Amino acid sequence: VSIERKTTQIGFFVAPNMPNVSSCRNITVRRLVTEGTIADGINIHGAHKDVLIEGCHIENAGDDTYAAWSSGPDAGLTNVTFRSNYAQSPRSPQQDFAVACLAMYGGELVTFDSNECVDSPNGTVKFDTFLPWSYLNATPLSLLCKKRTNCPTMGWFVPGAKAVINNIMTHGDVGSLCFGDGYEKELVEAPDCRRE
């Protein structure tokens, strides 16, 4: 599928599900191509399971190029794989927050395998959380809040959460390989992301 530049908010979006509502599973997206979206290139948001995003080519996303968001601490996003994708020049719509080629906002298991990132000055892989939306009636997990005294979250990381990063290629103006609020040091199975 090819999407004309700046004609869609997000190239592919799996919407967040409300608590106690069924999530999606067994989703595959292959060969999606776009040269510009208004927001994320691809966003998997909710408690979805068994998702594969593969062989996509996204340039000039208006936010993170490939993003995985969890919707709650008891029903986290799990087994999401971004494999052999290309990301170039993600940018922030307000220029006041960091965007990345690849992003994980909570969940249980997200794998970034053999992806290529070009010109992402903030960094390649981002780990972060945000303030909770009103429909989330849960207490933030303390597992990843060791370095902060008050840690309300919207991107929920479940106990034992991890990100697996293999064979990331970066080119051009690229910041740190992995960045966030310290979460990458707790989560990531990738030696390069553990550098001090």
Side-chain angles (χ1 to χ4, degrees), residues 62-76:
D63 202 335
D64 299 314
T65 308
Y66 301 96
W69 289 68
S70 187
S71 66
D74 299 321

Side-chain angles (χ1 to χ4, degrees), residues 3-186:
I3 300 170
E4 188 176 338
R5 183 181 173 108
K6 299 284 189 156
T7 59
T8 186
Q9 180 84 11
I10 298 175
F12 182 81
F13 181 57
V14 182
N17 50 302
M18 303 294 278
N20 303 316
V21 175
S22 295
S23 60
C24 296
R25 60 177 49 232
N26 300 318
I27 300 168
T28 300
V29 176
R30 288 193 175 105
R31 296 182 297 278
L32 183 141
V33 176
T34 183
E35 292 185 6
T37 56
I38 297 166
D40 293 332
I42 292 179
N43 187 321
I44 310 302
H45 193 162
H48 310 296
K49 297 171 177 36
D50 304 321
V51 179
L52 173 63
I53 308 299
E54 184 175 47
C56 298
H57 183 111
I58 300 175
E59 299 178 22
N60 305 303
D63 202 335
D64 299 314
T65 308
Y66 301 96
W69 289 68
S70 187
S71 66
D74 299 321
L77 191 69
T78 189
N79 197 25
V80 176
T81 301
F82 295 91
R83 180 185 304 138
S84 301
N85 298 295
Y86 178 88
Q88 182 175 341
S89 303
R91 66 206 179 291
S92 165
Q94 289 94 20
Q95 302 301 319
D96 62 352
F97 59 92
V99 300
C101 290
L102 307 162
M104 180 180 178
Y105 301 97
E108 186 174 343
L109 172 61
V110 176
T111 299
F112 300 106
D113 184 20
S114 301
N115 296 287
E116 186 172 358
C117 177
V118 177
D119 293 330
S120 179
N122 296 313
T124 303
V125 186
K126 178 181 181 182
F127 300 91
D128 209 346
T129 58
F130 292 89
L131 296 176
W133 286 353
S134 60
Y135 69 77
L136 294 177
N137 297 317
T139 303
L141 299 170
S142 60
L143 174 69
L144 298 173
C145 297
K146 295 176 185 174
K147 298 179 176 131
R148 292 160 53 168
T149 56
N150 183 10
C151 191
T153 65
M154 184 175 72
W156 300 92
F157 288 94
V158 301
K162 70 177 177 178
V164 179
I165 299 178
N166 297 316
N167 195 27
I168 299 291
M169 296 168 281
T170 60
H171 308 279
D173 182 13
V174 178
S176 61
L177 177 61
C178 298
F179 70 103
D181 287 336
Y183 303 119
E184 68 278 10
K185 293 179 182 67
E186 304 282 344

